[in-house]
């Protein structure tokens, strides 16, 4: 059974930092996720992609987080990270880890197949 478990969320002041982690398990050899990423959602708004990274460590970011967030992964143990620096109130959201064997779902072609339960990030001024 595939599981994605996020951790590292919390409350921080403007300009602070947080590091999110996502531990992925249960993948069969033929379905190891080539692409993993982070999404976020605020109540009443659509979920938006924050960043994703493929198996060759090519990373892409949503414009508002470029230069402040860094996505990385440890492919040996299927762990995904999101280092968030210079946090702003608009970054407050529930953050979800996602994974798929393809990167297309992260780039507008459908949605990733696997999702975590989310971890809350709150940035206060």
């Amino acid at each position: 059974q595939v599981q994605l478990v996020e951790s590292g969320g919390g409350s921080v002041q403007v300009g602070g930092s947080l590091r999110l982690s996502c531990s992925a398990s249960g993948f069969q050899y033929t379905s190891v996720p080539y692409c993993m990423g982070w999404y976020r959602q605020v109540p009443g708004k659509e979920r938006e992609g924050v960043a994703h990274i493929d198996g060759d460590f090519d990373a892409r970011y949503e414009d508002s987080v470029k230069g402040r967030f860094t996505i990385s992964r440890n492919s040996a143990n299927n762990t995904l990270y999101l280092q968030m620096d210079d946090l702003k109130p608009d970054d407050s959201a529930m953050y979800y880890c996602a994974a798929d064997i393809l990167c297309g779902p992260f780039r507008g072609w459908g949605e990733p197949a696997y999702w975590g339960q989310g971890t809350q990030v709150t940035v206060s001024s």
Side-chain angles (χ1 to χ4, degrees):
Q1 181 180 358
V2 173
Q3 277 193 317
L4 301 179
V5 180
E6 302 97 335
S7 62
S11 297
V12 65
Q13 292 192 327
V14 169
S17 298
L18 285 173
R19 189 190 194 210
L20 305 183
S21 299
C22 172
S23 177
S25 62
F27 289 96
Q28 298 299 313
Y29 177 76
T30 55
S31 64
V32 171
Y34 177 72
C35 216
M36 299 182 74
W38 294 93
Y39 287 74
R40 65 187 179 186
Q41 188 170 25
V42 175
K45 293 188 177 181
E46 288 191 1
R47 184 172 55 199
E48 67 171 353
V50 176
H52 65 274
I53 184 169
D54 67 21
D56 296 314
F57 304 102
D58 179 26
R60 301 190 185 189
Y61 297 89
E62 191 270 329
D63 285 346
S64 71
V65 307
K66 285 180 180 177
R68 301 187 298 119
F69 290 11
T70 303
I71 190 171
S72 60
R73 67 186 290 177
N74 182 331
S75 295
N77 59 14
N78 282 332
T79 303
L80 181 71
Y81 305 97
L82 185 68
Q83 177 66 40
M84 304 187 295
D85 298 319
D86 190 22
L87 283 160
K88 306 176 186 300
D90 284 349
D91 295 319
S92 297
M94 184 71 78
Y95 282 71
Y96 297 92
C97 173
D100 200 286
I101 59 173
L102 301 173
C103 285
F106 291 89
R107 298 170 185 171
W109 293 290
E111 288 193 344
Y114 306 104
W115 294 86
Q117 293 299 307
T119 185
Q120 179 68 39
V121 171
T122 302
V123 184
S124 58
S125 56

